[in-house]
């Protein structure tokens, strides 16, 4: 039975759907003492009416309608509700607040009482590592590590790793050029563009500054005869994605830094995403 179909007057002649009728019923039940709610048919009808009345509000917060009815029952026990100018308004407000914190408690994996407290309410809902398409470790600041990798020079293959630890910037540039050439860029275009980016990087002193300077440098792009798409992708691939969320990822470091921190060229060749990005950015033959 819906609210519209619910009779306005109970079998006992009490109209609990109005504020004054609810007040009268609550006062009668309170005066009857403990146990009055258990055996009173009008009280049972009132709870069914409350469950129907607050069903939409409960569903909005992923709750069962009877959970909202329980919150309404608890609100009806207070003296402040019986004495309020509009008892139904008091009940509705209490149900709304309870539904909000019930949902927050379920999201934060804590009790409703804890969710109501100010120092708990500032936290976001708990998230599983599998809840996002991008792994949590790739974007959440708590997992960002900006220290240089700790190379184990005692394991097999350490001689090569130790040798790469001291790789010069010149060697990194040459390997980057070879990488781009391998993946479809014209050799002359790759060398000219990469050397220009490295020159600006050396003068700028930081990847972020160099990226912003080169991104706005339309003159250099025109001289290199690169389309906008290729130029923008080249900067991101070489210098890394500028957004802080990517700072501790391979995407944020860029190819040049990855080579300088001892990632081998073979590791880059095995990076499928990097290969797709370089190939997609390759300029078409014949310029723009």
């Amino acid at each position: 039975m819906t609210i519209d179909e619910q009779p306005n007057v109970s079998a006992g002649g009490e109209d609990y759907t109005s504020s004054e009728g609810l007040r009268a019923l609550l006062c009668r039940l309170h005066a009857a003492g403990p146990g009055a709610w258990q055996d009173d048919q009008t009280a049972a009808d009132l709870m069914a009416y409350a469950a129907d009345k607050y069903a939409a509000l409960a569903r909005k917060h992923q709750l069962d309608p009877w959970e909202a009815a329980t919150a309404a029952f608890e609100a009806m026990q207070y003296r402040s509700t019986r004495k309020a100018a509009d008892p139904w308004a008091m009940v509705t407000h209490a149900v709304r607040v309870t539904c909000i914190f019930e949902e927050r408690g379920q999201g934060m994996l804590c009790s409703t009482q804890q969710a109501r407290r100010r120092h708990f309410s500032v936290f976001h809902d708990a998230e599983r590592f599998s809840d996002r398409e991008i792994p949590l470790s790739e974007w959440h600041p708590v997992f960002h590590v900006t220290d240089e990798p700790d190379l184990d020079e005692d394991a097999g293959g350490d001689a090569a790793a130790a040798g790469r630890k001291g790789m010069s910037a010149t060697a990194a540039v040459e390997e980057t050029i070879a990488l781009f050439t391998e993946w479809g860029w014209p050799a002359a275009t790759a060398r000219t563009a990469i050397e220009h980016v490295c020159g600006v990087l050396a003068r700028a002193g930081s990847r972020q500054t160099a990226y912003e300077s080169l991104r706005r440098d339309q003159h250099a792009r025109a001289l290199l005869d690169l389309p906008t798409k290729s130029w923008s992708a080249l900067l991101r691939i070489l210098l890394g994605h500028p957004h802080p969320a990517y700072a501790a990822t391979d995407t944020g470091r860029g190819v040049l830094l990855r080579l300088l921190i001892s990632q081998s060229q073979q590791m880059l060749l095995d990076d499928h995403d990097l290969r797709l990005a370089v190939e997609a950015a390759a300029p078409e033959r014949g310029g723009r």
Side-chain angles (χ1 to χ4, degrees):
M1 181 177 292
T2 64
I3 295 176
D4 294 335
E5 297 169 342
Q6 189 80 13
N8 291 335
V9 180
S10 68
E14 294 172 286
D15 179 16
Y16 48 74
T17 61
S18 66
S19 290
E20 290 305 320
L22 177 62
R23 188 198 316 279
L25 176 58
L26 295 180
C27 289
R28 180 176 68 77
L29 291 172
H30 176 71
W37 284 81
Q38 297 178 10
D39 304 321
D40 194 291
Q41 182 58 44
T42 304
D45 294 341
L46 172 62
M47 287 296 95
Y49 175 79
D52 213 5
K53 179 181 178 69
Y54 298 119
L57 180 61
R59 286 192 293 269
K60 176 183 177 182
H61 296 282
Q62 290 79 50
L63 300 173
D64 186 88
W66 282 100
E67 292 183 87
T70 301
F73 170 76
E74 293 174 350
M76 291 175 186
Q77 308 305 307
Y78 299 125
R79 181 177 181 275
S80 58
T81 303
R82 298 193 300 272
K83 299 299 182 182
D86 187 348
W88 270 121
M90 288 283 290
V91 173
T92 299
H93 177 70
V95 172
R96 182 185 300 110
V97 171
T98 299
C99 287
I100 290 172
F101 287 110
E102 280 282 358
E103 184 182 26
R104 291 286 288 131
Q106 292 178 10
M108 294 191 295
L109 307 181
C110 67
S111 67
T112 306
Q113 288 72 24
Q114 285 180 314
R116 288 176 183 267
R117 297 175 185 171
R118 185 182 299 273
H119 59 281
F120 280 96
S121 63
V122 298
F123 298 120
H124 62 74
D125 289 356
E127 293 187 36
R128 295 179 176 84
F129 279 88
S130 59
D131 283 347
R132 293 175 179 263
E133 182 178 350
I134 300 175
L136 186 65
S137 57
E138 286 290 322
W139 64 269
H140 200 288
V142 75
F143 295 103
H144 288 186
V145 178
T146 55
D147 296 336
E148 292 187 4
D150 183 16
L151 298 177
D152 184 2
E153 298 184 1
D154 296 327
D158 295 345
R164 294 193 56 80
K165 188 174 183 179
M167 173 185 282
S168 66
T170 302
V173 171
E174 291 299 325
E175 290 201 11
T176 303
I177 294 170
L179 200 69
F180 273 66
T181 304
E182 175 74 17
W183 286 338
W185 280 62
T189 302
R191 177 171 294 278
T192 305
I194 293 172
E195 287 181 348
H196 176 72
V197 171
C198 292
V200 174
L201 175 61
R203 293 191 298 272
S206 73
R207 290 181 295 129
Q208 182 69 28
T209 303
Y211 180 90
E212 291 300 324
S213 174
L214 288 164
R215 184 175 65 85
R216 298 183 177 92
D217 192 351
Q218 300 300 321
H219 180 66
R221 183 181 68 79
L223 289 177
L224 294 169
D225 196 25
L226 287 175
T228 302
K229 181 192 75 169
S230 298
W231 180 244
S232 299
L234 174 71
L235 298 181
R236 285 196 302 272
I237 293 168
L238 293 179
L239 303 176
H241 198 292
H243 196 285
Y246 295 96
T249 67
D250 286 340
T251 301
R253 293 187 181 106
V255 170
L256 293 172
L257 181 58
R258 290 174 67 180
L259 288 169
L260 290 173
I261 62 174
S262 304
Q263 289 192 19
S264 67
Q265 189 180 44
Q266 186 58 48
M267 292 175 64
L268 270 62
L269 287 170
D270 293 338
D271 189 333
H272 183 65
D273 292 336
L274 175 62
R275 177 170 185 166
L276 289 178
V278 173
E279 290 178 344
E284 297 180 1
R285 301 289 180 176
R288 291 172 289 179

